[in-house]
Amino acid sequence: MTRWLEERQQVLEASLLMEKKGLVVGTSGNVSRRLSAAEGRDLMAITPSRRYYDTLSAEDIVVVDFEAEPVEGDLVPSAETLLHAAIYRARTDVGAVFHTHSVYASALAVAGRELPAILDDQVVFLGGGISVAPYGLPASEELSTNVVSALGGHNAVILANHGAVAVGRDLRRALTAAELLEKASQVYVMAASLGQVNLLPPDIVEVGQAFFRMLQEQE
Ligand SMILES: [Zn+2]
């Protein structure tokens, strides 16, 4: 008897899309979605640790509470489960989290360069410029603290010398945020290689951020 099979199937499909879109290589990265709290426990469904996405079935997606204690599923949950939990705790508006290793966001992560506000869709859907969270060892509490702090109220953050995290109200929006971050990062690197990066003017960024807040507040 399984209560969350439909939600686990959704996480499986989202993880396959993440891989197909080239946002991760091999078994890297992880995806989760928040589940409605049961018996006072906050829960999420998350991809398992070190498994190839195309070999997974819905039963392999693990349901855990925010202490990473297992509720459904037999596999070991992602090593970054506590990072996902820290984000859900800090951001009650967030219903899904993607951790990716996408190439251009990783280039900024290695260069230690934040992504300034350069594109309208970046501002409206990600919240503006994207910060780089200082390095923390994978799966460490330090990484969780740094990521939550650098993410703030935005929908994406770059992880120094590691990759990126994107969030959203649901799996579709969070995946779109991961793709938008990667696109904007690529455009930034390409524009910089052309020798000219024109930032969006601050008053235009403010207008875009007003739209961002409006979209965040919509049901
Ligand atoms: Zn990673």
mmCIF file of all heavy atoms in Angstrom, residues 29 80 99-101 162, ligand 1:
data_model
loop_
_atom_site.group_PDB
_atom_site.id
_atom_site.type_symbol
_atom_site.label_atom_id
_atom_site.label_comp_id
_atom_site.label_asym_id
_atom_site.label_seq_id
_atom_site.Cartn_x
_atom_site.Cartn_y
_atom_site.Cartn_z
ATOM 1 N N GLY A 29 22.878 15.541 -9.506
ATOM 2 C CA GLY A 29 21.664 16.336 -9.356
ATOM 3 C C GLY A 29 20.604 15.590 -8.574
ATOM 4 O O GLY A 29 20.756 14.398 -8.271
ATOM 5 N N GLU A 80 21.541 15.138 -0.816
ATOM 6 C CA GLU A 80 21.197 16.541 -0.567
ATOM 7 C C GLU A 80 19.789 16.710 0.011
ATOM 8 O O GLU A 80 19.207 17.791 -0.060
ATOM 9 C CB GLU A 80 21.346 17.364 -1.852
ATOM 10 C CG GLU A 80 22.752 17.417 -2.407
ATOM 11 C CD GLU A 80 23.785 18.099 -1.501
ATOM 12 O OE1 GLU A 80 23.415 18.574 -0.409
ATOM 13 O OE2 GLU A 80 24.965 18.146 -1.890
ATOM 14 N N HIS A 99 18.172 20.448 -8.009
ATOM 15 C CA HIS A 99 19.604 20.742 -7.906
ATOM 16 C C HIS A 99 20.254 20.209 -9.177
ATOM 17 O O HIS A 99 20.168 19.008 -9.457
ATOM 18 C CB HIS A 99 20.201 20.093 -6.659
ATOM 19 C CG HIS A 99 21.701 20.081 -6.690
ATOM 20 N ND1 HIS A 99 22.441 21.205 -6.974
ATOM 21 C CD2 HIS A 99 22.596 19.087 -6.506
ATOM 22 C CE1 HIS A 99 23.718 20.896 -6.953
ATOM 23 N NE2 HIS A 99 23.847 19.615 -6.676
ATOM 24 N N THR A 100 20.860 21.106 -9.959
ATOM 25 C CA THR A 100 21.441 20.739 -11.253
ATOM 26 C C THR A 100 22.939 21.027 -11.272
ATOM 27 O O THR A 100 23.464 21.730 -10.401
ATOM 28 C CB THR A 100 20.795 21.538 -12.398
ATOM 29 O OG1 THR A 100 21.239 22.898 -12.304
ATOM 30 C CG2 THR A 100 19.278 21.489 -12.332
ATOM 31 N N HIS A 101 23.589 20.493 -12.308
ATOM 32 C CA HIS A 101 25.003 20.802 -12.560
ATOM 33 C C HIS A 101 25.112 21.392 -13.967
ATOM 34 O O HIS A 101 26.033 21.052 -14.714
ATOM 35 C CB HIS A 101 25.858 19.547 -12.451
ATOM 36 C CG HIS A 101 25.982 19.001 -11.062
ATOM 37 N ND1 HIS A 101 26.640 17.841 -10.762
ATOM 38 C CD2 HIS A 101 25.545 19.484 -9.871
ATOM 39 C CE1 HIS A 101 26.604 17.601 -9.452
ATOM 40 N NE2 HIS A 101 25.932 18.588 -8.893
ATOM 41 N N HIS A 162 30.276 24.168 -7.827
ATOM 42 C CA HIS A 162 29.421 22.985 -7.720
ATOM 43 C C HIS A 162 28.330 22.972 -8.792
ATOM 44 O O HIS A 162 28.369 22.149 -9.691
ATOM 45 C CB HIS A 162 28.837 22.931 -6.295
ATOM 46 C CG HIS A 162 28.033 21.712 -6.010
ATOM 47 N ND1 HIS A 162 27.740 21.283 -4.744
ATOM 48 C CD2 HIS A 162 27.426 20.831 -6.832
ATOM 49 C CE1 HIS A 162 27.026 20.180 -4.797
ATOM 50 N NE2 HIS A 162 26.810 19.892 -6.060
HETATM 51 ZN ZN ZN B 1 25.543 18.520 -6.867
#
